[in-house]
Amino acid sequence: MLLTTAAFAGLVFVAPGALALDNGVGRLPILGYNTWNAFVCNIDENIIIETASLIQSLGLQDAGYTQMNLDDCWGEKNRSAEGLLQANAERFPSGFNNLTSQLHDMGLCVNAGIYSDSGWRTCQDYPGSYSNEALDAETFQNWGFDYLKYDNCYIPFDDIIREGTLGRFQRMADAIANLSSTTGQPPLIYSLCEWGWSQVWLWGASMANSWRVDNDIGANWDSIAGIINSASFITQATNFYGRNDVDILEVGNGDLTYEENKSHFTAWALFKSPLLIGTNLSAVSSEIVDILSNPEILAINQDPVVGTSISPFRWGLNPDWTSNSTFPAQYWSGPSQNGTVFMLLNTLNEPADMFFNLTESPWIRAGREYSVRDLWTHTDNGTAIRNFTATDIPAHGVIAVLLQDAGDEPDGIEPSCAVYCQCGTEDGTYVYGGCTTEY
């Protein structure tokens, strides 16, 4: 579906990321595992510990993945007589205190995560947290959890809740903050799973560490392309402590090709999204582990100096600011502590060459040359002067490069301006006359 609208251009200048929730936790995107995509409701304590062990043995812990999150279906269908949530006795017979202790003892989890819902019930019909926010936040912390994914099902009727989506999620945010002030412990990392339907990115940064921007991801290229399209218009919402969550990683799942897996992982990481693996690690290939472990891509995601996402500087196939869930923006860049990172995404169904002038990115200076580091081949590929061309990018494939300033460009290069719209001399003469819109 193709849609061009001034509304997108109007939204792009809002910068809620500047108001991100600086609450002492979650400054950088979390790296870890979430149970939903691989196991859905088929989770138990053995699966959790086995998966944690695989994260260690496959080298993913060494790559930085130190979080284990339980998704829906972990509980009993009803609260206890005292009104407390309960771990499912059959699937978690040892209880959650024992489980989180095991995870921490393994050295795996700086954070162990759990799931609940802002409505009466969770999406799989287990007890939700509406009207029990303070009690549940305390329960989660007492169990040893440090992270809460908070979903959006079974919403109370309007005459009961009498507040909008923001207010419903604010209730748990307040409970988490109050609990922290009472106990002196760090607040739970708070991740909103609202699916982006009420422009959650506009207000999520005031209460949460991350917020979902689209529907649940599917293990197919169409789903990934659609989420990239949604993210392309709200990249300014991401900064330290608050970020767009583009959902669980499907790397290695479904019918994704090798190139699609690389593109999926690259986009998620460079968006500064949380990176939560959703693959069954007992059957994962070494090729997929290598993708998930790419140290140079992960270094951008975990940049301690620059917290912002990459952003499109040209849409490419479509006019700029065009929403197209099948063919999203192709040309992206952003700053990092070590230079300007570029992502070139071939959204076409066939190989393609991609070209851009360096100063199309706002992070590049005119009149300078730049060393080129390929973040997937891990090679230094000479220097770029004025422009860059990537040839024969596979269908749905990606190029990710880091450009570092290497000094002034050589003297005598013509034309005098790489992009010569309004390029003129001191005496008021246009060098080339007028503007060009060609790239």
Side-chain angles (χ1 to χ4, degrees):
M1 179 180 181
L2 185 72
L3 176 65
T4 304
T5 173
F8 288 120
L11 288 176
V12 76
F13 296 107
V14 181
L19 304 175
L21 183 66
D22 183 354
N23 63 359
V25 300
R27 181 176 184 271
L28 297 177
I30 61 170
L31 306 181
Y33 191 91
N34 182 283
T35 59
W36 183 257
N37 290 29
F39 300 107
V40 192
C41 283
N42 183 32
I43 56 172
D44 58 39
E45 59 187 42
N46 292 328
I47 286 174
I48 302 303
I49 296 301
E50 289 168 5
T51 301
S53 297
L54 285 166
I55 290 175
Q56 291 182 315
S57 63
L58 292 170
L60 291 168
Q61 178 179 335
D62 291 338
Y65 293 90
T66 57
Q67 175 111 15
M68 174 60 73
N69 290 346
L70 282 68
D71 212 284
D72 207 348
C73 308
W74 53 261
E76 295 286 358
K77 281 291 187 176
N78 295 293
R79 292 176 177 267
S80 71
E82 295 78 23
L84 297 171
L85 294 172
Q86 305 174 91
N88 184 279
E90 181 179 349
R91 288 182 278 123
F92 296 95
S94 302
F96 281 150
N97 288 106
N98 181 69
L99 179 65
T100 57
S101 293
Q102 286 189 72
L103 292 172
H104 285 283
D105 290 345
M106 293 172 70
L108 177 68
C109 292
V110 175
N111 294 303
I114 198 164
Y115 166 99
S116 191
D117 195 284
S118 61
W120 296 121
R121 309 287 290 179
T122 73
C123 296
Q124 298 300 312
D125 197 26
Y126 291 80
S129 289
Y130 180 74
S131 79
N132 288 287
E133 291 86 0
L135 180 62
D136 291 355
E138 183 177 7
T139 298
F140 299 146
Q141 191 168 78
N142 288 341
W143 280 339
F145 291 105
D146 308 283
Y147 170 105
L148 174 63
K149 175 182 175 180
Y150 207 50
D151 219 332
N152 191 42
C153 292
Y154 288 93
I155 299 168
F157 295 153
D158 291 354
D159 62 353
I160 295 172
I161 192 166
R162 299 196 186 280
E163 54 192 339
T165 305
L166 184 156
R168 184 160 42 86
F169 281 89
Q170 185 69 56
R171 293 167 64 100
M172 180 56 82
D174 292 343
I176 291 170
N178 291 337
L179 178 65
S180 178
S181 65
T182 300
T183 64
Q185 297 184 50
L188 296 167
I189 295 175
Y190 188 33
S191 179
L192 308 184
C193 186
E194 195 275 333
W195 320 318
W197 291 355
S198 67
Q199 296 182 339
V200 62
W201 63 277
L202 285 169
W203 49 263
S206 67
M207 69 174 73
N209 302 101
S210 63
W211 46 87
R212 281 277 298 279
V213 303
D214 210 320
N215 289 318
D216 289 354
I217 190 173
N220 59 80
W221 179 252
D222 287 345
S223 175
I224 291 166
I227 293 172
I228 291 172
N229 177 65
S230 295
S232 66
F233 299 100
I234 56 174
T235 58
Q236 74 284 2
T238 287
N239 209 326
F240 293 126
Y241 298 110
R243 53 194 54 88
N244 293 317
D245 176 2
V246 281
D247 204 11
I248 302 166
L249 286 165
E250 286 279 21
V251 174
N253 288 339
D255 59 358
L256 293 171
T257 67
Y258 173 71
E259 296 297 337
E260 290 169 345
N261 279 313
K262 282 177 56 181
S263 296
H264 171 27
F265 180 72
T266 301
W268 265 230
L270 302 189
F271 291 167
K272 305 294 178 74
S273 176
L275 298 180
L276 294 173
I277 298 169
T279 308
N280 187 338
L281 296 179
S282 66
V284 72
S285 68
S286 59
E287 184 178 79
I288 295 304
V289 172
D290 288 344
I291 290 175
L292 293 169
S293 302
N294 183 323
E296 296 190 63
I297 297 293
L298 289 174
I300 303 297
N301 181 264
Q302 296 291 298
D303 192 322
V305 177
V306 178
T308 53
S309 167
I310 59 170
S311 299
F313 61 85
R314 193 203 318 163
W315 260 246
L317 182 67
N318 302 301
D320 290 350
W321 309 115
T322 298
S323 177
N324 188 325
S325 60
T326 304
F327 299 104
Q330 297 177 288
Y331 295 82
W332 302 68
S333 71
S336 80
Q337 64 174 329
N338 294 316
T340 302
V341 62
F342 287 82
M343 181 178 77
L344 306 182
L345 188 66
N346 178 15
T347 63
L348 302 177
N349 299 322
E350 58 189 13
D353 298 343
M354 297 181 70
F355 166 91
F356 64 93
N357 289 310
L358 298 187
T359 54
E360 289 182 67
S361 167
W363 313 111
I364 292 292
R365 297 165 59 191
R368 309 285 286 181
E369 63 179 323
Y370 288 83
S371 64
V372 179
R373 175 71 176 180
D374 190 308
L375 302 181
W376 276 106
T377 63
H378 310 300
T379 56
D380 295 319
N381 295 352
T383 58
I385 300 174
R386 298 202 171 188
N387 56 60
F388 182 90
T389 300
T391 60
D392 203 30
I393 304 175
H396 303 168
V398 71
I399 296 291
V401 293
L402 184 70
L403 269 57
Q404 293 180 294
D405 194 309
D408 290 340
E409 67 179 27
D411 294 334
I413 295 179
E414 293 293 337
S416 300
C417 300
V419 180
Y420 43 86
C421 179
Q422 298 293 326
C423 185
T425 63
E426 187 177 1
D427 64 8
T429 302
Y430 282 126
V431 177
Y432 301 102
C435 298
T436 178
T437 58
E438 296 181 359
Y439 294 112

